[in-house]
Amino acid sequence: MDAKLWEQVVVLHARVEHDLGRTLQRRHGIGLSEYRALSRLAVAPDGELRMQELADSIGLNQSSVSRLAVRLETDGLTRRDLCPKDRRGVYTVITDDGRTRLAQADATYAEALTAALAKAAADPHLAEVTAALGAIPVAR
């Protein structure tokens, strides 16, 4: 991959992430990291993941995921649980309220993603990379 195309990927990623985060926050009161954490927890066995597993699955470091878990727990979207085999291990568990908020946000996420990619495809500086990803056909 050449440097020019890589820079377009970086810009596309930043713009899409920004649009997704802003839309989720405005409509559902959760940020993009919160949405991704709830998404991973919802499909995990028993709706729970160790903190490190959650961090790895959403691309955050340990301290960032700890702060994220506190926000989710404060909002009642998750709860913490101790590992029964290793009392030092901490799990984050999605609650019923967390599943409800995620279900409400899923359609918004898909809609915002489609809109952000369409907007990028219309930008002459990003049309090439958007087309290369196969996300949106390039308008000619």
Side-chain angles (χ1 to χ4, degrees):
M1 177 182 294
D2 68 34
K4 179 184 173 215
L5 187 57
W6 177 247
E7 288 302 316
Q8 290 173 352
V9 168
V10 170
V11 170
L12 174 64
H13 179 266
R15 287 186 186 177
V16 169
E17 293 277 290
H18 176 76
D19 287 354
L20 287 170
R22 186 181 65 232
T23 302
L24 287 168
Q25 187 65 52
R26 187 178 64 244
R27 292 190 192 171
H28 303 284
I30 58 173
L32 189 52
S33 293
E34 287 86 356
Y35 174 82
R36 289 188 173 136
L38 292 172
S39 294
R40 298 319 184 281
L41 289 167
V43 298
D46 297 324
E48 65 185 23
L49 290 170
R50 282 182 175 263
M51 296 295 278
Q52 188 59 52
E53 292 172 321
L54 182 59
D56 292 344
S57 74
I58 60 175
L60 294 178
N61 62 39
Q62 186 67 40
S63 63
S64 294
V65 86
S66 292
R67 289 189 304 272
L68 170 68
V70 167
R71 289 192 307 269
L72 290 170
E73 190 173 3
T74 299
D75 290 344
L77 305 177
T78 64
R79 63 178 173 78
R80 291 184 190 220
D81 199 8
L82 293 177
C83 175
K85 296 177 185 166
D86 175 7
R87 301 302 275 175
R88 295 172 299 170
V90 177
Y91 285 95
T92 299
V93 184
I94 192 168
T95 62
D96 290 341
D97 287 347
R99 288 184 189 280
T100 299
R101 180 82 58 92
L102 176 63
Q104 293 167 343
D106 276 338
T108 299
Y109 180 89
E111 174 188 311
L113 179 59
T114 299
L117 291 171
K119 186 166 76 174
D123 181 333
H125 301 291
L126 298 176
E128 179 185 0
V129 71
T130 307
L133 292 172
I136 303 289
V138 176
R140 304 231 181 229

